[in-house]
Amino acid sequence: MKLFGKSKLVAAIAALAVTAGLAATGLAFAQTPAFFRIGTGGTAGTYYPIGGLIANAISGNGDKGVPGLVATAMATNGSVANVNGIQSGAMESGFSQSDVAYWAYTGTGLYDGKPKVEDLRIIATLYPETIHLVASKASGIKSVKDLKGKRVALDEPGSGTLVDARIVLAAYGLSEKDIKPEYLKPGPAGDRLRDGALDAFFFVGGYPTGAISELASSSGIALVPISGPEVEKLLGEYKFFAKDKVPAGTYKDVGETETISVNAQWLTSAKQPDQLVYDIVKVLWNDASRAALDAGHAKGKMITLKNATNGLGIPLHPGAERFYKEAGVLK
């Protein structure tokens, strides 16, 4: 048998010592980081800051998070872009409105005539997403019907907001031909509204949202109610919508406003490993994540384990389902 030279023996002993030290601290030797991207939305909306909070909570930072996991929040065009990104493998997960997720999974609605995204799975239902119809005070817009002939931003192509804006318009007997449509995110739309170049814009997201709060404080806004018999008919046709209200004072000088909402959901692919998703969900609902969500954003307080399996519409990821059954929130 060939013996080690002195230098090689010292190096071998040193390597063993490093390995033992890593094992003693519970760290995997030569562990490869697992990257987990979260598609969100525009930086002025609610998805992006919530995605940042969740990414930070689940990343393996020190003694918190999932060991070896590096999660990042990506700014995107929203729900449809995130579903497409998950399907193509461009991202491991993303946020979506529950209506868009349902349409993608079933090949209906927005995805009519397109292949079903059958691998789409839910990690968690997060919070209600409220449909905001924001108008300038000078526009005189008091109802959805008043949008006829007005300059209205419907959000960018590929966003869930654009889809829902079209549904709302149709419920009141309007289409894009009846308005002067523009396709802008809420940030740029707010700028144009402030400058008098736009009369109204749609936004679907948790309240309060930064772009609308800033606009209300700087130049004043009106929130247009989405209510009445038209909504009753709409709710009967589209089960993923629910009645909602924006409380008085949510935005400066704006009273309580009746509207409708969908759910914000965190989606992934069935191809993601069951154990990884289980670990992510377990961390998402621990005490440290709870504190971060509560302190980090007004909508964070509405993200609860109790509501995590509400209004699913499509299947849970098996890893998530396992945790929710263990936690007693899913039978």
Side-chain angles (χ1 to χ4, degrees):
M1 182 178 71
K2 186 176 181 180
L3 298 175
F4 279 113
K6 184 176 181 180
S7 61
K8 290 184 177 181
L9 181 61
V10 170
I13 293 171
L16 286 171
V18 171
T19 304
L22 286 170
T25 58
L27 297 174
F29 182 64
Q31 184 181 51
T32 302
F35 294 97
F36 201 81
R37 293 162 290 190
I38 305 172
T40 60
T43 55
T46 306
Y47 276 3
Y48 187 74
I50 291 294
L53 288 171
I54 290 177
N56 186 57
I58 66 174
S59 290
N61 301 322
D63 60 350
K64 68 172 187 174
V66 179
L69 188 72
V70 179
T72 56
M74 300 169 54
T76 71
N77 280 347
S79 298
V80 175
N82 293 340
V83 168
N84 293 342
I86 293 168
Q87 183 183 30
S88 69
M91 59 186 72
E92 287 70 38
S93 70
F95 296 161
S96 172
Q97 295 166 198
S98 54
D99 51 352
V100 175
Y102 175 81
W103 287 331
Y105 182 77
T106 59
T108 58
L110 180 64
Y111 284 77
D112 187 25
K114 299 178 182 179
K116 298 177 183 178
V117 189
E118 294 181 322
D119 283 339
L120 205 58
R121 297 291 184 271
I122 293 176
I123 295 175
T125 289
L126 300 176
Y127 56 83
E129 289 202 276
T130 304
I131 298 186
H132 296 69
L133 178 50
V134 183
S136 68
K137 288 187 175 180
S139 69
I141 297 170
K142 304 294 183 183
S143 71
V144 177
K145 289 182 178 179
D146 292 338
L147 294 177
K148 188 171 183 178
K150 301 292 187 180
R151 300 163 298 177
V152 185
L154 307 176
D155 212 321
E156 292 180 337
S159 71
T161 299
L162 175 57
V163 180
D164 286 333
R166 287 170 172 160
I167 292 174
V168 171
L169 289 172
Y172 289 84
L174 300 175
S175 72
E176 282 156 280
K177 295 179 180 179
D178 299 308
I179 63 173
K180 297 174 182 176
E182 297 196 30
Y183 304 93
L184 303 168
K185 279 291 181 191
D191 292 339
R192 289 179 63 80
L193 194 81
R194 183 187 299 106
D195 295 339
L198 194 69
D199 298 306
F201 67 89
F202 282 89
F203 171 73
V204 181
Y207 57 76
T209 188
I212 300 175
S213 294
E214 191 279 329
L215 189 62
S217 298
S218 63
S219 58
I221 60 166
L223 270 189
V224 181
I226 302 174
S227 58
E230 295 89 353
V231 165
E232 299 300 329
K233 183 178 179 182
L234 183 151
L235 294 176
E237 186 174 354
Y238 299 99
K239 302 299 184 182
F240 42 75
F241 284 125
K243 289 184 179 181
D244 199 3
K245 289 181 181 179
V246 178
T250 300
Y251 302 107
K252 185 179 179 181
D253 298 328
V254 177
E256 181 180 88
T257 307
E258 292 186 2
T259 183
I260 55 177
S261 64
V262 293
N263 280 323
Q265 295 179 326
W266 186 11
L267 308 178
T268 189
S269 168
K271 297 183 177 71
Q272 290 298 317
D274 290 3
Q275 187 61 46
L276 174 61
V277 175
Y278 174 87
D279 291 341
I280 286 171
V281 175
K282 187 174 182 179
V283 168
L284 176 64
W285 302 118
N286 69 19
D287 292 343
S289 297
R290 174 78 273 143
L293 288 169
D294 287 346
H297 193 279
K299 214 63 181 180
K301 295 179 181 178
M302 300 186 72
I303 302 175
T304 65
L305 176 58
K306 179 182 176 182
N307 295 329
T309 57
N310 286 351
L312 296 176
I314 70 172
L316 284 162
H317 188 283
E321 183 176 12
R322 174 186 154 201
F323 175 83
Y324 293 130
K325 285 182 176 179
E326 290 176 1
V329 296
L330 189 70
K331 294 182 180 179

